[in-house]
Each structure stands twice: as structure tokens, then as C-alpha cells.
Amino acid sequence: MNAALSILSFPPEIVIKSLEGLSIQDVVNVAQTCTSLRAIILSNKQSIMQTRNAFAIWQSLPHGSTPATISADLLYATAVASLAISKRLSSNMPLKPRNHVSYDLSLFDLTWNRTSPSHGHPAHFFLANDLLAFRSSSVLFIMKLGLSGAIDESVSLDLTSGNAYWYSVDYQLSDDGRALLVAVLIQNRTVSSRSLQVFEVSVETCGFGSNTLLLSVGVPFVEGSMSIALHDPYVVVSNNHEGLAIIDLRHKKGLTVSLLDRASLPELGGSGHKTMAINQFIVHPFEPAIFAFNHDHPTKVILFDIPDDMPELTHALSPSHESWTSREILPRDTSFILPSEAYPLPLVWVFRKTSPSSYTLDTLAFSHYAPTSLLSLLSQRQPEGDQRARMSESDAAIVFASFHLHQETRQPDVEGLPISFRSPENNASELFGMQMIAPGIYFTERYLHSEQVVRVPKFEDGNGFGSTWTRLNIPQFLDLPWLPGAHLPRDRSALYRGDFSPSIFNVLTGKLYVCRPDGLHVIQY
């Protein structure tokens, strides 16, 4: 108490200065010591923003808020909630639902046709706080979810319709939270053509849904390949198994590129200019560059620069390869190496901001088997007698790795740590997170029911609770009916036990979103 009285004898600005460099948890602890200190901290958001781990709450700020615009008391409330959720999701015990909200989607005429792979059910989801977007058949829906089960705002964008069309969609929310960029790759396999459309949609309360078509252009057709990545001003789409089409949507420039494998160069002892087989890619968060997985060397993440002299695109450029300028380029010298020699298959990766000048590329990879080096490391890290420390090489591994990127450096730091395996005790559980649509936000189409425990990967978010698996108990009201008997006609528009349904889990908020024909269910854990 004497220490508290001594601190309170100083002006508020000196009290705030004395908190500089503490953690968010430390500041919250100080605020809970007395009402005077709490009043000072809640009235000055610098107390939170000057903490050494302030980045831990950036992704949790309310929709449309930034550190510059949010109020001090709301910033503090966000910090407290972020700490509580992070700690709860790091528990080793399966979590039970705390509450449930259902949103009526009957007004949106969603498609649930289980006979059509491209138009079977809602797909290509995006979630940011209360903003939800997804595609259903040839319509793109964007909506703002209210707290009481009402949809406050919504808009739909009509895409090219027809059963011959296949789609791939990527999104980016603007830094100020006022607009959503939507890139849609549309493929017509009947006439072998592809086109790219990019929209900018207002998500502000005033003018919600007003949109501008920023780009509409034909892109080279590739049978079966529908990958797309958006990071303003660049849109990247798969060109073929060995190349990409890169577009600067703001300057209407672009070209197709093939990536050369440095190991094949004659001057390095190789036999010739072999091109890399690229199966996944993502745009660098603050440099004109692209990260990509090389299919021939799946433990490596390569990085290459986007050419700064791309030619201008003519309006409605033909989807034929001959209409595009093509170029061969070399990756940078340094590769990112996943911490496993087991040739893992990349499942998830996303950029997470970890300071004003740096990002982390979080990756989650599935390995066919657990190599000896990882088993040895795991045995050293697990308590004696832990079942997970007695695994064999036949057990599959889930590998977490984080690569730290610092602004104003050309060679990012490479750090990685395998921390989890698919152990025998968890074989009955479902791995949730086949796709990460934003930092800490996972999407899957696996089925959910109350007889299983769902495991969700949680990276260290800066709050100090570490990377781990979050385990969720699924409530019984989400159980689907069993398939009807063979003598009964099967309703092709209905979902049954074993059918996949689109689901999202937000690690930042502890909310599970499940999209069903009867509505959108949001469960808080």
C-alpha cells in the first residue's frame, strides 16, 4: 500500500511513464490494485499501447477501430478480454460452450446442393470481428452480425452464374476497417477460360455494401488449378504447376512468371534451368515479394521478388497464355526451412503482425511420420510418463513453425519449433483448421457432432500462454440427423450425420461459427 501511495503522489503522466515496457498482464494487475490507478490507466490508452506485447490485441480490436481511434477504456476492456480468452484456450481440459446465438439465413437464398462440387454449399468464408463474407453458388454475401442474433447490414454481389463455372475467392480488410477487397477467380471449364474480378466494398455503417469494380481481366487458363492470393496492390493466381500470374491491380500491370530452381543452375553444378513446381503461395506483408512452397522440396519455403517493371495490361486481356508477357525469375538466396525432415505437407499459413515493424509467418504442416529427431526433442519437452513422449516413427506429426520477418531487412530471421503431434490419445479427435483465413481464424468443412472433441491449433499470441492445442466439446444441438434408410428418398438439399458443413473457429474470440441450412450458429467458448 505504501508503494501505491508513493506512485499516486506523482502526476498521471509520470505514472503512465513508469508502466512503460511492462506486459499487458502487468498493467492489468496494476489497474486492479486501487481505484485511483485504475482510473489513470483507463483514461490513458498509452498505458496499454506502450507495453512490450501490445501487438497481442491488435487483431482483437473492434471492427473499424485502430489504436489511434479507439477509446482508452475500450482498449483496456479489449486487452482484459484478450488475456482471459488466451488463457482459457490454453487450458488442457476440453472446453464447454458458454453461450449460443443463431442467425437466420433464410432470407439469403443459400444453395445446399450436395450433388454439385462447385455449388454444393456456402464456401470461401472470411471473418473479421463482426464482419462475415462467403460465396454461395454464384452469389457473394457480405454481412455484419449483430450481438442479439440479428444481421445488422448485408449486401450480395452477383458473379457469373452457371454450373460450368468454378470459383476461388480471397479477401483483404483495409487497415482502417472501412473497406473489404474481394478478388474472385472465375473459371469456365466448358470453353476453357478464366477471368479475375476485384471489388472494393464499403463495410462502414453509412454506405455499407456500396462497391467499385477495381479490375476485370482474363487470366491464363489452367485446368484444375484455382489458387489465388490477394494483398493490396497485388493479386496472384496459379498459372500452371510451374508458374504464377501476378497483377498490380492499382496500376493495371501484370505478367506470368516461372520460378527457376537455383539448385539446377549450371554454375552451381546443376544440369540446367529447371523450374519449380509451386503448389501454394502468399504475398509478403510489406515488400513486393511472394512466399511459395516448392512441391519438389516441401520442407522449404522460398521467397522471390515481384518484378518492378511489369507491363501494362490491356482491358479484358485474353485468357490465352500467348496474350501475357512471360518471364523466368530466380528466388532469393535464403529459403525458410520447416523444422522436420519428414517432408511435411503444408496445410496452413498466415501473416500475423508482432510489432509496428515486423510480422510472423505462422505455418502448420502435417507430416506423414514423426522422424527420430522430433521424437527425441518431444521426449525432452514432455513430463515423464506422458503418453505423447512414447511415440514411434509410424505416428504422424503436426508441425508448428513461425518465421519472423523484420521490416527493412532483406533476409528474414528463420525460427521454427515443432510442438505437437497427432498422438494415440487424440486419434478420435478432429483436427480443426485445414485453412487459416486470418491470424488465429481457422476454416474447415469437416463434420461436427457432440461425440467428438475438436482440436484447434493455437499459436503463441503474445500473451505468454504458448502455442498449444485448444480442445472443444461440441454441443448436442449441432448434431445432425442420421441418413434416412435405404428405402426412403434422400433429400439432396439436407445435411445428415457425416456430411461436411462449413465451420470457422476464431482463436482470438473463442467463438465457433457453424453454417447450416437452418442458420448460422455462433457458439462462445
Side-chain angles (χ1 to χ4, degrees), residues 193-408:
S193 68
R194 289 203 301 177
S195 62
L196 174 67
Q197 296 181 346
V198 182
F199 301 89
E200 187 171 46
V201 184
S202 172
V203 292
E204 291 188 282
T205 301
C206 181
F208 185 94
S210 59
N211 64 86
T212 302
L213 180 63
L214 298 181
L215 180 74
S216 180
V217 65
V219 293
F221 175 79
V222 182
E223 182 66 40
S225 182
M226 290 289 289
S227 299
I228 183 172
L230 167 66
H231 191 281
D232 194 13
Y234 299 108
V235 185
V236 184
V237 300
S238 52
N239 180 23
N240 53 51
H241 197 52
E242 299 176 344
L244 304 171
I246 306 173
I247 298 171
D248 182 338
L249 66 93
R250 299 296 180 178
H251 297 94
K252 306 300 188 293
K253 296 182 178 182
L255 48 68
T256 61
V257 300
S258 295
L259 306 180
L260 298 180
D261 190 342
R262 286 187 175 274
S264 70
L265 299 181
E267 57 269 27
L268 298 178
S271 59
H273 285 55
K274 179 183 177 181
T275 55
M276 295 184 183
I278 302 302
N279 58 358
Q280 281 185 277
F281 48 88
I282 188 172
V283 183
H284 198 294
F286 53 79
E287 292 186 18
I290 295 173
F291 290 89
F293 271 101
N294 182 356
H295 183 270
D296 294 332
H297 302 282
T299 58
K300 293 183 179 180
V301 181
I302 62 172
L303 177 63
F304 66 94
D305 295 302
I306 296 175
D308 58 6
D309 59 346
M310 294 191 296
E312 291 186 4
L313 298 175
T314 59
H315 182 66
L317 192 66
S318 168
S320 67
H321 292 266
E322 293 75 15
S323 301
W324 284 72
T325 300
S326 299
R327 192 174 301 174
E328 293 182 335
I329 60 177
L330 284 168
R332 296 187 188 176
D333 293 331
T334 301
S335 297
F336 288 46
I337 308 298
L338 288 171
S340 171
E341 69 268 29
Y343 293 97
L345 302 175
L347 296 180
V348 170
W349 57 351
V350 72
F351 287 109
R352 173 168 51 91
K353 198 165 187 177
T354 52
S355 81
S357 61
S358 64
Y359 286 76
T360 289
L361 175 60
D362 289 332
T363 66
L364 175 67
F366 173 79
S367 182
H368 288 302
Y369 65 93
T372 304
S373 61
L374 293 184
L375 291 173
S376 175
L377 176 61
L378 183 67
S379 298
Q380 297 170 15
R381 293 168 56 86
Q382 296 295 340
E384 184 177 355
D386 193 313
Q387 176 66 33
R388 288 171 294 180
R390 300 194 301 270
M391 295 177 59
S392 68
E393 292 189 14
S394 62
D395 291 309
I398 304 295
V399 181
F400 289 74
S402 293
F403 303 108
H404 303 284
L405 317 177
H406 301 283
Q407 212 155 14
E408 300 178 358

Side-chain angles (χ1 to χ4, degrees), residues 334-513:
T334 301
S335 297
F336 288 46
I337 308 298
L338 288 171
S340 171
E341 69 268 29
Y343 293 97
L345 302 175
L347 296 180
V348 170
W349 57 351
V350 72
F351 287 109
R352 173 168 51 91
K353 198 165 187 177
T354 52
S355 81
S357 61
S358 64
Y359 286 76
T360 289
L361 175 60
D362 289 332
T363 66
L364 175 67
F366 173 79
S367 182
H368 288 302
Y369 65 93
T372 304
S373 61
L374 293 184
L375 291 173
S376 175
L377 176 61
L378 183 67
S379 298
Q380 297 170 15
R381 293 168 56 86
Q382 296 295 340
E384 184 177 355
D386 193 313
Q387 176 66 33
R388 288 171 294 180
R390 300 194 301 270
M391 295 177 59
S392 68
E393 292 189 14
S394 62
D395 291 309
I398 304 295
V399 181
F400 289 74
S402 293
F403 303 108
H404 303 284
L405 317 177
H406 301 283
Q407 212 155 14
E408 300 178 358
T409 61
R410 298 294 291 172
Q411 301 298 339
D413 295 336
V414 181
E415 299 178 11
L417 181 65
I419 67 166
S420 188
F421 287 78
R422 176 171 291 179
S423 60
E425 65 177 356
N426 284 331
N427 280 343
S429 301
E430 291 290 332
L431 169 64
F432 198 112
M434 300 301 291
Q435 179 184 354
M436 196 186 296
I437 58 180
I441 302 178
Y442 296 90
F443 171 80
T444 186
E445 291 183 347
R446 292 177 178 269
Y447 57 89
L448 300 173
H449 58 81
S450 60
E451 297 174 7
Q452 65 185 182
V453 175
V454 173
R455 297 180 303 148
V456 183
K458 174 185 176 294
F459 285 92
E460 162 58 44
D461 56 11
N463 286 313
F465 296 105
S467 300
T468 186
W469 290 102
T470 296
R471 299 164 66 189
L472 308 176
N473 282 321
I474 303 302
Q476 288 187 341
F477 60 75
L478 286 182
D479 286 349
L480 292 167
W482 292 98
L483 292 173
H487 61 283
L488 296 176
R490 183 171 181 173
D491 184 353
R492 292 293 182 180
S493 64
L495 291 179
Y496 299 103
R497 175 70 68 90
D499 285 347
F500 294 164
S501 55
S503 306
I504 300 172
F505 186 74
N506 188 346
V507 177
L508 303 177
T509 63
K511 291 182 179 180
L512 174 66
Y513 298 74

